[in-house]
């Protein structure tokens, strides 16, 4: 069977598939040419990440496809239900990149709380001439320990964010559509582990009250989760990080509340207008920004490739039976 990993696959995943008898094609094909390539090469399995879109027209035009795999959690770039209705198996890797995304959340929190995003930009330009002035302006920083962390969403990424917050000594709040309780396990270097029972709330007002740091970790939504009414109920000086999807937070309103100092700082890894974020976002000094790289670590990609390969090999064996 032929595999097109159009947005790339780790060496671990490629090796596992090759050893199992699959032919992994080395090509990376532009979106407009994917259909022709699949048909000309009789591709059986299409693996994508976020770049390649798999819509109904592609599914209809490519009868050779038996499996579509998404390296990551979100499946909004694939018409999943339609593919399944055509007898195509659709797989993803819902937990492989969770730790990487959660670490980026805290990378941004630390950057915001200590002004690292701004000082890293200004030090090369003004460090020699305005050192003392910058030292003074960046001195009003905060520790995360002892602060209240609010996590919106309690999937695999949200759970990893909560665990890292607990490890830092933060107080925890979780917001979900329906209240739920989960037991999270923290594993330590010496083999010890501790369990923490966390119960979420669906009360937005209670969640926002007195929350110092907010992390958004939800699937794609059809409307804003955070907009004017939610900003107005937040604690003054709150920090917000969005590594979920563009469109879960109103970016225009966010800038307004940064201007009013209700929001002390925010970080965006995802944007409403990817891959062309609005210029006012890119130029705002209160924003810490990254180009949708939450799961883009060597570690996560190795896990993703291995997990995709494992699922594909398992599906093949089930088909043979």
């Amino acid at each position: 069977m032929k595999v097109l990993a159009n947005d790339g696959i780790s060496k671990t995943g490629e090796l596992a598939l090759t050893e199992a008898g699959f032919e992994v094609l080395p090509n990376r094909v532009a979106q407009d040419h994917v259909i022709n390539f699949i048909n000309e090469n009789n591709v059986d399995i299409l693996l994508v990440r976020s770049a390649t879109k798999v819509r109904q027209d592609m599914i209809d035009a490519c009868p050779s496809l038996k499996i579509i795999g998404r390296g990551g959690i979100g499946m909004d770039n694939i018409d999943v239900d339609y593919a399944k209705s055509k007898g195509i198996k659709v797989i993803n890797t819902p937990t492989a990149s969770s730790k990487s995304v959660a670490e980026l959340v805290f990378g941004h929190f630390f950057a915001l709380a200590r002004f690292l995003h701004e000082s890293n930009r200004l030090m090369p330009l003004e460090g020699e001439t305005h050192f003392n002035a910058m030292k003074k302006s960046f001195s009003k920083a905060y520790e995360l320990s002892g602060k209240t962390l609010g996590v919106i969403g309690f999937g695999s990424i949200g759970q990893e964010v909560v665990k890292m917050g607990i490890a830092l000594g933060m107080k925890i709040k979780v917001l979900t559509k329906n209240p739920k309780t989960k037991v999270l396990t923290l594993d330590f270097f010496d083999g010890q582990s501790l369990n923490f029972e966390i119960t979420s709330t669906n009360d937005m007002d209670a969640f926002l009250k007195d929350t110092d740091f907010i992390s958004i970790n939800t699937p794609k939504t059809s409307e804003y989760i955070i907009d004017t009414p939610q900003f107005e109920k937040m604690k003054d000086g709150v920090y917000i990080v969005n590594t979920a999807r563009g469109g879960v937070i109103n970016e225009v309103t966010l800038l307004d509340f940064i201007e009013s100092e209700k929001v002390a700082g925010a970080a965006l890894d995802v944007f409403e207008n990817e891959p062309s974020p609005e210029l006012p976002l890119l130029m705002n000094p209160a924003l810490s920004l990254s180009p949708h790289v939450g799961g883009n670590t060597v570690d996560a990609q190795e896990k993703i490739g291995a997990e995709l390969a494992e699922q594909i090999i398992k599906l093949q064996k089930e088909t043979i039976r």
Side-chain angles (χ1 to χ4, degrees):
M1 297 180 75
K2 293 183 179 180
V3 180
L4 173 62
N6 204 45
D7 298 333
I9 188 171
S10 68
K11 289 295 182 183
T12 300
E14 182 178 353
L15 181 61
L17 288 171
T18 302
E19 290 180 346
F22 294 86
E23 181 185 353
V24 182
L25 303 176
N27 309 77
R28 303 290 180 268
V29 186
Q31 180 75 47
D32 293 344
H33 301 291
V34 174
I35 291 174
N36 287 339
F37 184 90
I38 289 173
N39 290 330
E40 289 172 2
N41 293 274
N42 294 313
V43 172
D44 303 279
I45 301 168
L46 174 62
L47 303 181
V48 303
R49 288 174 58 195
S50 58
T52 303
K53 315 299 180 192
V54 188
R55 301 302 180 200
Q56 290 187 21
D57 62 331
M58 184 181 296
I59 294 166
D60 286 335
C62 299
S64 65
L65 285 179
K66 300 175 181 65
I67 299 173
I68 299 170
R70 164 71 162 94
I73 298 175
M75 304 276 273
D76 44 280
N77 59 320
I78 302 171
D79 287 340
V80 176
D81 292 338
Y82 190 77
K84 289 181 177 178
S85 75
K86 296 295 184 178
I88 299 173
K89 301 288 185 182
V90 183
I91 60 176
N92 69 334
T93 58
T95 63
S97 60
S98 298
K99 281 187 170 63
S100 289
V101 178
E103 288 188 3
L104 181 67
V105 169
F106 280 94
H108 278 301
F109 276 147
F110 283 122
L112 290 167
R114 298 305 302 268
F115 303 102
L116 298 180
H117 63 299
E118 193 172 1
S119 63
N120 280 332
R121 288 190 292 231
L122 292 179
M123 279 296 288
L125 300 174
E126 302 179 16
E128 185 177 7
T129 56
H130 295 83
F131 188 94
N132 289 331
M134 280 191 287
K135 180 178 180 180
K136 182 178 180 180
S137 66
F138 296 150
S139 65
K140 296 178 181 179
Y142 292 97
E143 296 178 354
L144 273 67
S145 177
K147 303 300 190 301
T148 298
L149 169 67
V151 180
I152 303 177
F154 210 17
S156 60
I157 295 175
Q159 291 175 43
E160 290 297 332
V161 172
V162 168
K163 288 162 67 174
M164 291 180 190
I166 292 172
L168 286 168
M170 302 184 79
K171 303 168 187 175
I172 304 297
K173 290 183 179 182
V174 179
L175 180 73
T176 54
K177 285 185 178 179
N178 300 301
K180 59 184 70 175
T181 298
K182 293 183 181 292
V183 176
L184 305 183
T185 302
L186 269 67
D187 298 312
F188 298 93
F189 72 98
D190 58 358
Q192 293 188 72
S193 62
L194 288 173
N195 293 331
F196 295 85
E197 186 175 278
I198 305 295
T199 299
S200 68
T201 180
N202 61 356
D203 185 337
M204 176 68 85
D205 291 357
F207 171 81
L208 294 175
K209 184 180 179 182
D210 299 327
T211 301
D212 301 291
F213 293 84
I214 296 174
S215 175
I216 308 174
N217 303 108
T218 65
K220 185 177 178 64
T221 57
S222 58
E223 56 187 23
Y224 296 126
I225 295 174
I226 301 295
D227 205 345
T228 299
Q230 291 74 39
F231 281 116
E232 289 176 341
K233 293 170 184 174
M234 291 178 187
K235 179 180 181 179
D236 290 348
V238 68
Y239 294 94
I240 305 170
V241 172
N242 180 23
T243 57
R245 285 289 187 271
V248 301
I249 185 170
N250 187 329
E251 294 172 351
V252 174
T253 307
L254 171 63
L255 294 179
D256 291 339
F257 280 89
I258 287 174
E259 181 68 24
S260 71
E261 299 185 351
K262 164 69 77 171
V263 177
L268 301 174
D269 183 54
V270 289
F271 303 85
E272 291 189 65
N273 294 317
E274 288 188 30
S276 303
E278 300 293 342
L279 188 60
L281 295 173
L282 301 179
M283 299 301 292
N284 194 296
L287 287 176
S288 179
L289 305 172
S290 52
H292 203 155
V293 295
N296 287 8
T297 63
V298 172
D299 311 83
Q301 296 312 309
E302 288 297 318
K303 293 174 189 174
I304 287 170
E307 192 172 322
L308 283 174
E310 181 181 349
Q311 292 184 64
I312 291 167
I313 293 166
K314 182 180 179 181
L315 285 172
Q316 184 197 39
K317 289 179 178 177
E318 291 174 351
T319 302
I320 293 173
R321 290 196 198 121

